[in-house]
């Protein structure tokens, strides 16, 4: 029961082809996972940035309105000037 050299080479070629195609599938799966992770992370970052920006604008409006009310309260009324 001798195994010929041609059979060993054929078996090696078949196994190598199977491994290369499965490597390509793993590479594609990794690329898909990586790009999806990148896109989701980018969307989370943009949403966080936009929310923080809106909070900042809202805070600025509140502070300005409080400042306006304080300035109005500090002004003497027309009755006090007489």
């Amino acid at each position: 029961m001798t195994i010929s050299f041609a059979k060993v080479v054929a078996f090696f070629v078949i196994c190598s082809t199977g491994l290369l195609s499965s490597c390509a599938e793993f590479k594609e799966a990794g690329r898909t996972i990586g790009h999806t992770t990148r896109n989701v992370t980018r969307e989370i970052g943009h949403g966080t940035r936009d929310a923080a920006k809106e909070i900042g604008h809202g805070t600025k409006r509140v502070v300005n309105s409080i400042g306006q009310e304080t300035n109005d309260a500090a002004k003497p009324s027309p009755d006090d000037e007489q």
Side-chain angles (χ1 to χ4, degrees), residues 7-78:
K7 287 183 181 177
V8 172
V9 170
F11 178 74
F12 179 73
V13 168
I14 291 171
C15 289
S16 298
T17 305
L19 288 174
L20 288 176
S21 67
S22 65
C23 286
E25 290 174 12
F26 280 120
K27 184 176 180 180
E28 183 62 32
R31 182 178 292 121
T32 301
I33 291 170
H35 286 196
T36 303
T37 303
R38 177 195 64 196
N39 294 342
V40 168
T41 305
R42 181 184 301 137
E43 291 302 317
I44 291 171
H46 287 182
T48 303
R49 178 198 62 202
D50 295 343
K53 190 183 292 186
E54 285 304 314
I55 290 170
H57 290 311
T59 304
K60 184 177 181 179
R61 284 191 296 269
V62 169
V63 169
N64 287 340
S65 70
I66 291 172
Q68 246 343 297
E69 291 172 6
T70 305
N71 287 339
D72 292 343
K75 292 179 184 175
S77 66

